[in-house]
Amino acid sequence: MAAPSSFLLWSYYGHGWSRVMRYCRLPGLRSSWPGGPLGARHLSQEKRATETHFGFETVSEEEKGGKVYQVFESVAKKYDVMNDMMSLGIHRIWKDLLLWKMRPFPGTQLLDVAGGTGDIAFRFLNYVQAQHQGKQKRQLRAQQNLSWEEIAKKYRNEEDSLGGSRVMVCDINKEMLKIGKQKARAQGYKAGLAWVLGDAEELPFDDDKFDVYTIAFGIRNVTHIDRALQEAHRVLKPGGRFLCLEFSQVNNPLISRLYDLYSFQVIPVLGEVIAGDWKSYQYLVESIRQFPSQEEFKEMIEDAGFQKVTYESLTSGIVAIHSGFKL
Amino acid sequence: MVPAAMATLLRRALRPLRPLQGRPGPAAGVPLRAASHGAGLLYPEHIPTSLLQKALLAAGSAGMALYNPYRHDMVAVLGETTGRRTLKVLRDQMRRDPEGSQILQERPRISLSTLDLGKLQSLPEGSLGREYLRFLDVNRVSPDTRAPTRFVDDEELAYVIQRYREVHDMLHTLLGMPTNILGEIVVKWFEAVQTGLPMCILGALFGPIRLSAQSLRVLVSELIPWAVQNGRRAPCVLNLYYERRWEQPLRALREELGITDPPCTSTAWPRP
């Protein structure tokens, strides 16, 4: 299974953003461009510079993208089941907390990157729908006399049940998007939802487009995290918010040992028994260890240009929500 | 808070797998992912596991195999994680036998790439090779569907269990059993008596759980006693160098091993 060497991006968007971009990325080009004359010393430095981690393995940067793609291609079908098994259902609470922190209002434009199976997107849609309905109820109660237009609109069901909110789910992996679309169809989510194939390091969107950018459990799989952060900064509107939910460093030593024990002993076994895939889940737990700590990541976010960057550790630091604003 | 004895016990159970501490020691102590190019791995597909992981794998795979009988990979994993002692006994038995020790030295593999299908096709009717090919065709199976060994921490034992898996189809041919669930259970009983592998014993005992009453009756009254008798009487089937016996008539081979004809033909078998 060779990694694809070019990525085609389409945007399916029901409302008018019908730009189709054909983007071909050559793997050799982007990673090692020191910008100076290449002497012998530069060559060896360059070689070291293009290596990165894949879990505890060392691979070249070009390889990493392909290997990560293969991991998620093979886990896609059992992704949600395995999430529930591995976190004992707690991942749902984490994602709910992310939404509550976001507090979207009707009219918010959300970009959910690495959002493959749609967990964040569906929660967002539920939230804004509930909010919008609440607002409508309050309006009804407040003013018993509605205008004739409003009454007519209600009868025609023309009102947008989401109040103008839209969510765009972007993922680099076709399999994950496929599963997400299947879920959406099964659970009846249609309005306000769009699915785009795209790379977090080079998003297929214009500048200043979104109110909120989220990336849940995705950024540790990106080869160049700084580029993903820069892209996030680019596509957000001024005043927009960056939110990242990711595994982080545990602050309590006892819990840390238990967590390591559980991660390395139990999770690959679960992966083998339930999904028939030991190695993908080994990669998953190793990639968590390779991700920077809360403070380090906060600094990386600040480097990308975000301000008022804060983080909140959940479950003793097993996960953390980082938040920043483009001001 | 944890008593010192328990702590040492726990540490010993986890010893082969401590990637964060990078403790030097046997091959399994090396950080797993650093072994991407074979350093620290005993064979290409090897995944070093700790005692705790093996226990969890054994329990999990047993449960999953019962829950979903189509997960053959789970049966394989169960065999690998529970069979260490038995595999050693089998390996020693093979070493003592002249044909078996040859197999251990030459390490033949049965797969579509190593079999000469054309030659097998041209063999006379009734020979082992021809009957084996017929068995593969009739049941629409291929020798390539066996998953490679991963969790055995000894390279020779890994080969022994791989050989056992590849010989499984041979046993079907020798015993004349089809690949439906009834046939598989009979072969499992034969293998359980022959090899003593815990996975075979568990499979033989728990396999019949999903059978109908009629099939169970046939199984218990006729098929199992026949399989056990033949298993006891025959020498260890892993010691047979099948690749050298393709021309041998099946009937003669059965006589050599003391395997009698199965009690009833497959057409008379009730539907499981």
Side-chain angles (χ1 to χ4, degrees):
Chain A
M1 243 192 288
S5 60
S6 67
F7 291 96
L8 294 173
L9 307 166
W10 303 273
S11 63
Y12 310 100
Y13 198 79
H15 272 260
W17 289 7
S18 51
R19 279 176 58 224
V20 173
M21 240 168 63
R22 198 160 264 267
Y23 194 81
C24 198
R25 196 155 51 87
L26 301 163
L29 219 52
R30 57 174 169 83
S31 48
S32 55
W33 216 238
L38 288 173
R41 192 160 65 102
H42 277 268
L43 267 172
S44 66
Q45 275 179 353
E46 178 198 328
K47 189 169 174 148
R48 247 177 289 130
T50 59
E51 280 189 340
T52 180
H53 51 79
F54 177 73
F56 290 158
E57 233 180 289
T58 310
V59 299
S60 73
E61 285 182 348
E62 291 99 18
E63 266 189 294
K64 174 159 181 176
K67 287 180 100 114
V68 171
Y69 191 94
Q70 280 174 23
V71 165
F72 281 94
E73 198 176 32
S74 74
V75 304
K77 289 208 175 68
K78 295 265 167 92
Y79 187 72
D80 293 317
V81 172
M82 282 301 298
N83 279 346
D84 278 329
M85 290 282 139
M86 292 192 289
S87 67
L88 306 168
I90 302 179
H91 74 104
R92 297 168 185 240
I93 302 180
W94 291 331
K95 290 172 180 159
D96 288 338
L97 282 172
L98 179 69
L99 255 295
W100 292 341
K101 200 168 171 107
M102 195 197 302
R103 293 200 179 287
F105 49 85
T108 303
Q109 311 289 310
L110 171 66
L111 172 66
D112 183 26
V113 177
T117 53
D119 279 343
I120 303 290
F122 300 155
R123 282 175 169 76
F124 172 80
L125 289 173
N126 290 341
Y127 191 103
V128 293
Q129 196 168 37
Q131 277 222 313
H132 189 70
Q133 280 172 352
K135 186 168 108 175
Q136 280 185 320
K137 269 206 204 113
R138 279 197 301 272
Q139 270 183 336
L140 264 175
R141 250 181 281 142
Q143 12 154 260
Q144 280 300 314
N145 3 310
L146 292 173
S147 70
W148 286 115
E149 286 93 19
E150 282 165 334
I151 297 177
K153 241 199 272 181
K154 274 204 205 306
Y155 276 105
R156 270 182 277 149
N157 285 330
E158 250 183 31
E159 274 214 0
D160 181 0
S161 63
L162 299 174
S165 314
R166 300 282 175 270
V167 55
M168 183 87 90
V169 181
C170 179
D171 200 289
I172 200 173
N173 195 300
K174 285 191 203 128
E175 280 304 311
M176 297 289 281
L177 279 180
K178 206 161 72 169
I179 303 290
K181 282 193 214 171
Q182 278 172 9
K183 267 172 67 178
R185 234 176 295 139
Q187 295 176 23
Y189 292 102
K190 265 198 294 207
L193 187 57
W195 306 86
V196 178
L197 188 69
D199 184 353
E201 297 184 21
E202 296 178 86
L203 290 170
F205 304 114
D206 276 336
D207 303 0
D208 307 331
K209 271 281 178 249
F210 297 98
D211 295 310
V212 186
Y213 172 112
T214 55
I215 183 164
F217 301 119
I219 203 160
R220 73 177 189 284
N221 297 306
V222 171
T223 313
H224 300 103
I225 298 180
D226 50 341
R227 283 188 214 167
L229 293 172
Q230 280 163 19
E231 279 293 284
H233 192 264
R234 181 180 69 81
V235 302
L236 276 173
K237 289 186 197 158
R241 189 173 196 185
F242 168 86
L243 279 167
C244 172
L245 174 66
E246 189 55 80
F247 287 107
S248 208
Q249 313 285 350
V250 178
N251 34 42
N252 181 323
L254 174 65
I255 298 192
S256 172
R257 293 186 83 178
L258 287 172
Y259 178 53
D260 284 346
L261 186 81
Y262 180 73
S263 293
F264 284 96
Q265 301 292 316
V266 179
I267 287 188
V269 173
L270 275 179
E272 178 63 34
V273 171
I274 297 179
D277 193 345
W278 176 286
K279 299 217 160 151
S280 294
Y281 290 92
Q282 183 80 45
Y283 160 74
L284 249 43
V285 299
E286 288 175 0
S287 65
I288 293 174
R289 298 299 175 295
Q290 296 285 24
F291 192 69
S293 67
Q294 283 90 326
E295 274 298 323
E296 272 178 65
F297 190 49
K298 170 172 176 240
E299 280 167 31
M300 287 171 81
I301 300 177
E302 282 168 349
D303 286 341
F306 290 100
Q307 293 175 17
K308 287 248 173 272
V309 181
T310 57
Y311 62 82
E312 185 186 338
S313 292
L314 305 172
T315 328
S316 307
I318 295 182
V319 301
I321 300 181
H322 282 78
S323 158
F325 289 91
K326 172 176 177 174
L327 297 173
Chain B
M1 293 261 264
V2 177
M6 268 185 68
T8 22
L9 210 69
L10 191 64
R11 234 175 283 137
R12 218 175 291 151
L14 300 175
R15 178 153 299 154
L17 179 74
R18 284 293 228 159
L20 298 179
Q21 302 201 354
R23 211 178 293 184
V30 172
L32 289 182
R33 298 310 259 149
S36 57
H37 294 292
L41 297 182
L42 300 168
Y43 45 93
E45 293 289 329
H46 187 209
I47 296 180
T49 42
S50 68
L51 199 61
L52 176 62
Q53 284 180 315
K54 287 206 174 66
L56 290 172
L57 267 176
S61 59
M64 185 52 104
L66 271 178
Y67 174 71
N68 183 354
Y70 292 103
R71 289 289 301 270
H72 299 297
D73 59 325
M74 287 290 103
V75 179
V77 168
L78 182 62
E80 287 171 31
T81 49
T82 53
R84 191 173 175 85
R85 208 181 307 164
T86 322
L87 284 176
K88 283 202 179 125
V89 169
L90 276 175
R91 190 257 317 264
D92 294 337
Q93 215 178 32
M94 283 175 83
R95 275 197 187 147
R96 285 195 293 267
D97 180 272
E99 214 173 330
S101 63
Q102 261 190 335
I103 296 176
L104 278 179
Q105 270 173 356
E106 292 173 25
R107 307 266 177 105
R109 297 288 300 266
I110 303 177
S111 72
L112 281 178
S113 52
T114 56
L115 291 176
D116 188 351
L117 291 175
K119 180 173 147 234
L120 290 180
Q121 188 93 337
S122 64
L123 286 173
E125 289 288 314
S127 62
L128 177 65
R130 192 71 191 79
E131 294 305 310
Y132 174 62
L133 210 61
R134 178 171 295 133
F135 164 79
L136 289 180
D137 282 330
V138 165
N139 293 279
R140 278 185 284 229
V141 292
S142 146
D144 283 348
T145 51
R146 307 273 164 224
T149 316
R150 278 173 302 159
F151 301 112
V152 178
D153 291 332
D154 179 310
E155 186 232 358
E156 200 173 20
L157 298 181
Y159 173 73
V160 172
I161 201 170
Q162 190 74 42
R163 180 76 182 164
Y164 151 76
R165 275 186 211 153
E166 289 171 0
V167 158
H168 179 84
D169 289 337
M170 289 289 164
L171 289 181
H172 272 281
T173 318
L174 271 178
L175 297 173
M177 291 288 130
T179 51
N180 55 24
I181 192 161
L182 217 48
E184 293 287 352
I185 293 176
V186 176
V187 178
K188 267 287 167 293
W189 274 91
F190 183 83
E191 285 174 344
V193 173
Q194 279 261 312
T195 62
L197 279 169
M199 174 261 283
C200 298
I201 297 175
L202 286 172
L205 289 175
F206 287 100
I209 279 182
R210 289 170 179 253
L211 286 179
S212 67
Q214 199 185 12
S215 310
L216 258 176
R217 213 179 322 131
V218 173
L219 190 68
V220 171
S221 60
E222 294 178 23
L223 294 169
I224 289 183
W226 171 77
V228 170
Q229 228 178 18
N230 283 281
R232 281 221 173 106
R233 199 170 28 218
C236 182
V237 286
L238 285 178
N239 284 333
L240 296 176
Y241 208 135
Y242 295 98
E243 287 87 340
R244 298 221 181 117
R245 291 171 179 253
W246 291 131
E247 295 92 8
Q248 186 176 11
L250 190 56
R251 193 153 284 283
L253 184 57
R254 280 186 180 153
E255 265 184 53
E256 184 183 331
L257 298 175
I259 294 178
T260 54
D261 285 332
C264 43
T265 61
S266 45
T267 49
W269 282 22
R271 237 185 310 141

